[in-house]
Amino acid sequence: MIKKATLGDIVLAESDNTVPLEGNAYFPPEEVRWERLVESDHSTVCPWKGVASYFDAVIDGETHRNVGWTYRTPSDRAQSITGHVAFWGKVNIT
């Protein structure tokens, strides 16, 4: 099943190979529209996954803060999402 992450009518990622984890769809890095994302200075720590790095989406000159995140070097238990990107907030996953 193909999943899409959209912000308004802009597609941020699209894949039929997402990894479901804790209610989120993690998109493979090769299926993320990186030209729409810029790295944020925000990060969080999950006790079992590790450190998450966040991305802002920039659309038509407007910055939408921290709408996506990735685990670049997750714990051994979360290796299946290494480098994958999940979205939340204003981003619609269908």
Side-chain angles (χ1 to χ4, degrees):
M1 173 187 225
I2 295 178
K3 291 211 177 265
K4 273 188 188 180
T6 56
L7 186 56
D9 60 351
I10 302 297
V11 176
L12 300 177
E14 183 174 9
S15 178
D16 63 354
N17 194 28
T18 59
V19 177
L21 186 63
E22 295 186 322
N24 296 302
Y26 283 83
F27 289 82
E30 64 274 9
E31 300 190 47
V32 173
R33 308 269 168 86
W34 292 107
E35 69 276 8
R36 295 286 185 186
L37 301 176
V38 294
E39 193 157 350
S40 165
D41 59 359
H42 185 67
S43 65
T44 58
V45 177
C46 171
W48 76 272
K49 291 186 297 265
V51 177
S53 300
Y54 284 74
F55 300 98
D56 298 338
V58 180
I59 298 172
D60 297 328
E62 183 178 352
T63 300
H64 303 269
R65 304 269 304 142
N66 303 318
V67 297
W69 70 92
T70 189
Y71 290 90
R72 289 189 177 96
T73 55
S75 70
D76 290 343
R77 293 181 9 199
Q79 287 297 303
S80 65
I81 60 167
T82 301
H84 286 53
V85 179
F87 298 93
W88 72 323
K90 299 176 185 179
V91 178
N92 189 30
I93 308 295
T94 56

